[in-house]
Amino acid sequence: MSAFVTQREFVPGELFLLKLGEVVLKGLNRKRFEDKLLGNVRRRLRPIGNFAVSVRQSTIYVEPQDEDCDLEAAFTACRQIFGVVAVAQAMPCPKSVEAIAEAAGSYLSGELTAARSFKVESKRADKSFPLTSIQISQEVGGLLADSYPHLKVDLHRPDLVVYVEIRERAAYVHAPSVPGAGGLPVGTGGTAVSLLSGGIDSPVSSWMMARRGAELEMLHFVSPPYTSPQAREKVIQLARELTAWTGRLRVHIVPFTEIQEEIRRQCPEEYFTLIMRRFMMRIAQRAARKVGAHALVTGESLGQVASQTMLALGVTEDVTSLPVLRPLIGMDKVEIIRLSREIGTYETSILPYEDCCTVFTPRHPCTRPRVEDVREAEAALDVEALIEKALAGVETVTVRYDPAGSLD
Ligand code: ATP
Ligand code: MG
């Protein structure tokens, strides 16, 4: 998670400012997006401590309400909330030029010492404050230049921008902001069923769709005794790791053994994987109907394996009328791995447990399948009965975000 670690220390009295991204482009829907995001921030911070969360002018204010709020954990959590493009630590101070300069001088002493040039940028939300924002910047800048004589004022390309905001209750001095997760608030993009395996790809595809605001219901197929309890536990752990970004997730675990055994018994070997994937899609579609989801998500990437050629993808989605979202479709494996490391699922993904996909792999899978041939190949199966039986055996596990990282 190196890309999401902050360098700055946390000090008592600080608060966080969360900058909203695409949410601000939403026009008439903006209120709905903002409300969703506020709810997501509050829910995520609740287990970490008592924080007041409010929104004003495209910025969410996160203010600790007592001494034992874990600021570091809260900051990390804020950076993982979709819809937030940047997060800054900030210090409140009294509303006078002298107090602001003093607060900035000590709060940002590390940055001011390291920089060679700076400028002050001010915003005056409290219009009763006697100085204009330009005057505030000039005066605070002058006082800071007096205390840090090595610093030059550079209005065009400064090393450091000192942000000052004057609001109703106080003035605030910001530290430089760091990137947030971006995207749109989870819950604003509809609900989708995401097919989660224990591999590297599907946690990443899930994360990418959650980042576009999709609420996810996870679906995982198990084939005991061919797949082990550890393989199942690994997938639940992957979902748990995703909750740092998505919030609470449900993992629906579907028994798949009988379907796979029937396919092996009755269908031509070259179509094993394709027919199995068609069953996954059919079951995912039924599950979607049950939970009110309107799309399926997979970690497929064009050409990665025989079942992900263009023709094979067509054969797979032949059995569903829902949109199949494949955010990794045009990505290389190295890019997927990089993302998987960044979002924190890679180490779990590479644990060496088997997946039901690898249980009955054909020696020579068909890479140029025709949908009529595959339909014919599976005609020997009682598709409906097999699906019903699998659905009747679904078990649902709920995983929650746990800032301490411990297992449920
Ligand atoms: P890998 O990183 O090993 O490629 P993968 O998850 O992509 O892992 P594939 O065999 O390529 O594995 O499967 C393609 C997609 O099918 C997955 O990304 C996932 O969405 C879905 N899938 C595969 N196996 C399962 C499973 N056991 N349960 C749920 N979905 C699965
Ligand atoms: Mg894959």
Side-chain angles (χ1 to χ4, degrees):
M1 296 241 290
S2 57
F4 293 93
V5 169
T6 176
Q7 300 299 313
R8 222 188 126 80
E9 290 205 0
F10 295 93
V11 294
E14 269 184 330
L15 70 156
F16 304 145
L17 306 178
L18 281 49
K19 295 286 166 192
L20 310 194
E22 281 180 56
V23 170
V24 302
L25 305 175
K26 290 297 166 197
L28 293 176
N29 283 324
R30 174 171 171 165
K31 177 91 173 70
R32 187 170 66 83
F33 278 75
E34 269 185 8
D35 286 348
K36 197 70 176 176
L37 183 52
L38 272 177
N40 291 352
V41 174
R42 291 194 179 113
R43 202 170 321 109
R44 196 68 61 78
L45 294 178
R46 204 167 294 139
I48 299 176
N50 185 11
F51 292 88
V53 179
S54 56
V55 65
R56 273 163 262 150
Q57 297 172 326
S58 315
T59 302
I60 290 182
Y61 286 70
V62 172
E63 301 171 69
Q65 300 297 293
D66 50 48
E67 294 294 297
D68 35 81
C69 285
D70 182 343
L71 293 181
E72 191 169 347
F75 195 76
T76 305
C78 289
R79 297 188 68 191
Q80 294 183 301
I81 297 171
F82 295 128
V84 173
V85 282
V87 186
Q89 294 166 254
M91 185 57 91
C93 62
K95 293 200 286 188
S96 75
V97 164
E98 294 73 23
I100 293 168
E102 195 184 317
S106 62
Y107 183 58
L108 301 177
S109 65
E111 285 86 352
L112 288 162
T113 306
R116 281 154 307 169
S117 59
F118 83 115
K119 74 167 174 179
V120 178
E121 225 174 83
S122 307
K123 221 167 45 192
R124 187 181 57 137
D126 170 10
K127 299 296 178 204
S128 71
F129 193 74
L131 303 180
T132 66
S133 45
I134 292 175
Q135 290 169 327
I136 299 166
S137 297
Q138 283 169 343
E139 298 207 8
V140 172
L143 290 171
L144 283 174
D146 291 345
S147 337
Y148 292 87
H150 75 285
L151 275 178
K152 273 207 284 292
V153 174
D154 182 344
L155 298 182
H156 303 293
R157 292 170 55 91
D159 288 347
L160 176 70
V161 181
V162 174
Y163 291 95
V164 172
E165 283 184 46
I166 314 276
R167 295 197 168 268
E168 280 75 37
R169 274 188 293 160
Y172 300 93
V173 179
H174 304 201
S177 61
V178 294
L184 293 167
V186 167
T188 58
T191 303
V193 165
S194 185
L195 284 81
L196 184 66
S197 71
I200 293 169
D201 302 335
S202 48
V204 176
S205 53
S206 304
W207 181 87
M208 285 178 78
M209 293 322 301
R211 190 170 64 158
R212 294 310 299 164
E215 177 119 39
L216 300 178
E217 295 276 345
M218 314 309 277
L219 197 66
H220 176 61
F221 296 90
V222 290
S223 291
Y226 307 102
T227 61
S228 63
Q230 289 94 320
R232 178 184 188 275
E233 198 44 48
K234 170 185 170 177
V235 170
I236 293 171
Q237 176 60 20
L238 283 171
R240 198 178 276 125
E241 287 164 1
L242 286 171
T243 61
W245 307 91
T246 60
R248 184 196 72 115
L249 284 175
R250 293 199 294 180
V251 187
H252 307 281
I253 297 169
V254 186
F256 209 48
T257 315
E258 189 177 347
I259 291 175
Q260 289 196 288
E261 285 178 341
E262 275 300 295
I263 295 172
R264 183 169 59 173
R265 190 155 45 231
Q266 312 227 36
C267 304
E269 184 182 330
E270 62 173 334
Y271 295 136
F272 279 1
T273 311
L274 282 174
I275 295 175
M276 182 192 77
R277 299 200 60 76
R278 284 161 66 90
F279 270 95
M280 286 185 173
M281 290 292 156
R282 290 184 179 105
I283 291 171
Q285 171 157 299
R286 301 285 177 99
R289 202 176 300 151
K290 255 193 201 150
V291 299
H294 301 291
L296 309 180
V297 178
T298 77
E300 289 160 313
S301 170
L302 186 64
Q304 191 185 77
V305 287
S307 57
Q308 293 169 30
T309 64
M310 217 175 271
L311 292 176
L313 293 172
V315 167
T316 302
E317 70 181 26
D318 168 52
V319 294
T320 172
S321 54
L322 291 177
V324 181
L325 309 178
R326 300 180 173 97
L328 310 186
I329 197 70
M331 285 172 73
D332 281 0
K333 195 76 186 189
V334 282
E335 295 170 317
I336 301 170
I337 290 174
R338 192 188 314 132
L339 254 180
S340 130
R341 286 184 193 277
E342 273 182 28
I343 68 176
T345 51
Y346 181 75
E347 296 301 328
T348 304
S349 284
I350 59 172
L351 293 173
Y353 301 119
E354 65 297 323
D355 183 65
C356 68
C357 271
T358 50
V359 173
F360 304 125
T361 316
R363 276 158 297 179
H364 302 292
C366 180
T367 54
R368 300 181 53 79
R370 295 186 339 145
V371 77
E372 309 78 53
D373 297 341
V374 181
R375 284 187 195 150
E376 197 183 310
E378 70 186 10
L381 303 173
D382 188 345
V383 171
E384 196 48 42
L386 285 168
I387 291 177
E388 283 301 325
K389 214 163 153 197
L391 283 170
V394 170
E395 193 195 324
T396 299
V397 178
T398 301
V399 287
R400 288 193 171 75
Y401 170 59
D402 174 0
S406 65
L407 305 185
D408 270 359

